[in-house]
């Protein structure tokens, strides 16, 4: 009887000793509990848009996404000899194995997953209700924007909306994807018009949600809905045009009055000429003009 009691006590002690209670690491069990956790959850989505914290491959809008878009049009040609997969895209002869398309797919779905987590978990956090609603709608905006990118590039794709989805989800119809994009962007129309100076640079706004939604309606041929939203953005007096079109492209004016939503990249530790002013010419060039006859 004594031996049996000792065995029971030892087993109970071992279970208690082996129970995990992590305090020195961030784990899913001890996160998404505070207001700062909610802010960080949404900031993590933004972080995947640029190249400051995603490592390799780079973020959603670092370069590959817009290079693909440019080369798949008649506006640009690939001038990077180290990227034969881009040449295949420009000639519409890409194969199932294409590093650039894989990077674009992977980075979008990583950011979408973070948006799904934020939308699911932030409502459960006890915090300021106004801030909570804003953060959730920022996540809706970003998810809608990301799916708008993807559906235009790939057509039928998996519509992943939950934190836990099947490992190989089935593709949804293009109509279903657009309906979800509209749902997300309509929710995001409740975002603020602007943020206090220094507190919200680069964050989604009501104007950004309306502008992207207008572009969605334009893509779907819903002309009146597009026109109505464009008018709302214009008459909001939150944005204006530069008097000189060249001012749009000046580094000093980045994020200026014409910018409805933009992704910041910093200056790469001082190498601003290369990263901010030179990448377009490094990666793409307009097609050569015909020789005069």
């Amino acid at each position: 009887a004594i031996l049996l009691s000792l065995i029971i006590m030892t087993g109970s002690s071992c279970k208690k000793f082996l129970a995990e209670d992590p305090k020195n690491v961030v784990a899913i069990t001890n996160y998404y509990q505070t207001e700062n956790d909610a802010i960080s959850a949404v900031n993590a989505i933004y972080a995947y848009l640029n190249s400051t914290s995603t490592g390799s491959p780079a973020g959603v809008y670092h370069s590959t996404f817009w290079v693909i878009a440019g080369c798949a049009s008649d506006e640009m040609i690939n001038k990077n000899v180290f990227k034969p997969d881009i040449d295949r895209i420009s000639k519409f002869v890409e194969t199932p194995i294409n590093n650039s398309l894989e990077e674009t797919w992977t980075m979008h779905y990583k950011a979408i997953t973070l948006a799904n987590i934020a939308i699911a978990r932030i409502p459960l956090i006890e915090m300021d209700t106004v801030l909570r609603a804003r953060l959730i709608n920022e996540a809706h905006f970003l998810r809608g924007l990301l799916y708008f990118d993807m559906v235009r590039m790939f057509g039928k794709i998996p519509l992943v909306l939950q934190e836990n989805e099947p490992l190989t989800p089935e593709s949804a119809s293009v109509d279903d994807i657009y309906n979800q994009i509209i749902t997300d962007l309509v929710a995001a129309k409740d975002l603020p018009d602007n943020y206090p100076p220094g507190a919200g640079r680069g964050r989604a706004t009501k104007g950004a949600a309306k502008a992207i939604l207008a572009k969605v309606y334009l893509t779907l041929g819903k002309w009146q809905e597009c026109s109505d939203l464009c008018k709302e953005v214009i008459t909001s007096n939150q944005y204006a045009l530069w008097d000189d079109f060249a001012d749009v492209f000046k580094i000093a004016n980045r994020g200026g009055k014409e910018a409805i939503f933009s992704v910041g990249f910093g200056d790469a530790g001082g190498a601003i000429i290369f990263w901010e002013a030179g990448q377009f010419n490094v990666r793409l060039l307009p097609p050569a003009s015909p020789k005069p006859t």
Side-chain angles (χ1 to χ4, degrees):
I2 295 174
L3 179 61
L4 180 60
S5 298
L6 287 172
I7 292 172
I8 293 173
M9 291 174 63
T10 302
S12 176
S13 298
C14 286
K15 288 181 180 179
K16 186 175 181 180
F17 175 75
L18 294 174
E20 294 184 359
D21 184 19
K23 294 183 173 61
N24 64 328
V25 295
V26 176
I28 197 168
T29 54
N30 64 359
Y31 203 68
Y32 308 108
Q33 296 179 4
T34 69
E35 187 171 288
N36 285 336
D37 292 345
I39 294 170
S40 296
V42 175
N43 287 350
I45 313 170
Y46 285 106
Y48 265 88
L49 303 186
N50 57 32
S51 60
T52 59
S53 60
T54 58
S56 181
V60 169
Y61 298 119
H62 177 259
S63 57
T64 303
F65 173 76
W66 55 263
V67 169
I68 289 173
C71 280
S73 72
D74 59 358
E75 299 173 351
M76 297 291 166
I77 57 174
N78 177 36
K79 283 296 183 182
N80 189 335
V81 296
F82 302 107
K83 285 282 186 178
D85 52 324
I86 296 293
D87 280 331
R88 297 188 187 100
I89 293 170
S90 66
K91 297 172 183 175
F92 298 98
V93 293
E94 61 268 17
T95 66
I97 300 175
N98 187 291
N99 291 334
S100 295
L101 291 176
E102 180 183 3
E103 178 183 315
T104 297
W105 179 282
T106 299
M107 298 311 296
H108 272 77
Y109 272 109
K110 282 187 176 183
I112 287 169
T113 298
L114 292 175
N116 290 341
I117 293 172
I119 291 168
R121 290 182 175 263
I122 291 177
L124 307 178
I125 299 175
E126 292 186 7
M127 57 181 291
D128 178 81
T129 55
V130 174
L131 176 59
R132 180 169 59 198
R134 192 203 86 195
L135 291 171
I136 293 169
N137 285 331
E138 285 184 72
H140 277 295
F141 170 85
L142 293 169
R143 186 171 69 179
L145 173 64
L146 292 161
Y147 269 121
F148 188 38
D149 291 341
M150 292 291 281
V151 72
R152 287 179 295 165
M153 184 170 291
F154 294 102
K156 293 176 61 177
I157 55 174
L159 185 58
V160 180
L161 300 174
Q162 306 300 322
E163 183 176 345
N164 297 310
E165 293 274 2
L167 186 59
T168 55
E170 295 184 1
S171 294
S173 70
V174 170
D175 287 342
D176 285 345
I177 297 164
Y178 270 109
N179 287 338
Q180 182 59 48
I181 293 168
I182 292 170
T183 298
D184 278 331
L185 294 176
V186 167
K189 286 167 63 178
D190 290 331
L191 285 167
D193 287 316
N194 48 50
Y195 296 85
R201 183 180 176 90
R203 306 194 84 90
T205 62
K206 182 191 298 288
K210 289 181 177 181
I212 298 298
L213 184 55
K215 195 171 183 179
V216 172
Y217 286 141
L218 181 65
T219 304
L220 296 175
K222 297 185 176 183
W223 316 123
Q224 190 59 54
E225 291 90 336
C226 173
S227 176
D228 291 344
L229 282 173
C230 287
K231 186 175 181 179
E232 289 182 27
V233 173
I234 293 169
T235 59
S236 70
N237 297 320
Q238 297 293 317
Y239 316 97
L241 299 177
W242 296 101
D243 293 330
D244 186 347
F245 180 63
D247 289 340
V248 176
F249 305 99
K250 292 180 179 178
I251 294 173
N253 292 336
R254 57 185 172 179
K257 58 185 180 181
E258 283 199 23
I260 296 178
F261 180 73
S262 58
V263 178
F265 284 85
D267 62 2
I272 194 167
I273 294 177
F274 179 77
W275 288 107
E276 295 284 356
Q279 274 289 289
F280 196 76
N281 289 329
V282 169
R283 302 296 300 275
L284 296 171
L285 284 175
S289 299
K291 294 180 179 181
T293 56

